Amino acid sequence: MEALGLDWALDFLRRAGHAMADARIDLIELDRAIGDGDHGENMDRGFTAVVARLDPPPADVPAALKLAAATLISTVGGAAGPLYGTAFLRAAAAAPAQLDADAVAAVLAAALGGIVARGKAEVGDKTMVDAWSPAVEAASAAARAGAGPAAVLRAAADAAAAGALATEPLVARKGRASYLGERSAGHRDPGAQSTALLLEAAATAAEGAR
């Protein structure tokens, strides 16, 4: 039940950087099918820049999340930069210096709120919201059930992965993919997939901190 602090946040962001680099080609291919093909390049570039700015390290968890927000907004192109940047900015505002289970759930909910406010998408639109929303629901349920912060993040990551997979049969109603209409069905949403990667990095970092 140990709270998550700065060491977790730094490990999370570094793991996210590795994940986006490893998945760059896969994300490019997903986005090429229903978007403009730059999501993998953008996410890799953005999180590479985030990791580069972690030395010297920020003061605490909120500062780390705020640094990530500012970096992603300034370096990630397309819609992903503002969406992820707003998510991290809202998460930073909601985060205490040490995250217990309830704080983890609150931070994830704040991130989702930022994405929805910025992108105006809802569940079923075939966007990253389809991964974030079940992740937040799973995290809240785990926290209410008495799980520790690492288990709350694991529940969120697993739900995000399932949510990303579930975007494949959907017809896009938002973003560039919506221009394809029915042809967007059969392809996984790249933003939902990068969300799953991000939350997996957060969960794995938390599990390593126990």
Side-chain angles (χ1 to χ4, degrees):
M1 301 288 284
E2 183 178 346
L4 303 175
L6 178 60
D7 286 347
W8 163 77
L10 297 176
D11 190 25
F12 156 43
L13 293 172
R14 290 186 177 112
R15 286 178 183 274
H18 288 305
M20 297 306 169
D22 289 345
R24 183 177 70 88
I25 299 300
D26 289 342
L27 292 173
I28 286 171
E29 292 300 325
L30 288 177
D31 197 31
R32 188 170 289 155
I34 59 173
D36 48 16
D38 64 354
H39 189 63
E41 197 68 49
N42 285 339
M43 296 303 291
D44 181 24
R45 181 174 63 250
F47 276 92
T48 296
V50 170
V51 172
R53 294 178 188 178
L54 296 178
D55 187 19
D60 54 21
V61 172
L65 298 177
K66 190 173 182 179
L67 179 151
T71 305
L72 293 173
I73 289 169
S74 65
T75 61
V76 177
L83 289 170
Y84 274 117
T86 303
F88 272 94
L89 200 58
R90 294 284 187 93
Q98 298 285 324
L99 276 65
D100 62 10
D102 288 336
V104 169
V107 163
L108 294 177
L112 172 60
I115 290 167
V116 171
R118 188 83 189 195
K120 312 301 184 189
E122 57 188 39
V123 172
D125 284 345
K126 199 182 180 90
T127 72
M128 64 174 64
V129 171
D130 288 299
W132 274 102
S133 186
V136 168
E137 291 174 5
S140 297
R144 287 195 302 270
V152 169
L153 277 171
R154 171 49 57 200
D158 290 349
L165 182 62
T167 64
E168 290 185 6
L170 298 178
V171 174
R173 298 193 300 238
K174 287 283 185 179
R176 187 178 293 271
S178 65
Y179 302 155
L180 297 176
E182 296 290 335
R183 287 179 295 153
S184 64
H187 302 282
R188 188 175 309 187
D189 179 70
Q193 183 63 21
S194 61
T195 294
L197 295 171
L198 186 69
L199 293 179
E200 177 62 32
T204 304
E207 289 161 349
R210 289 187 300 189

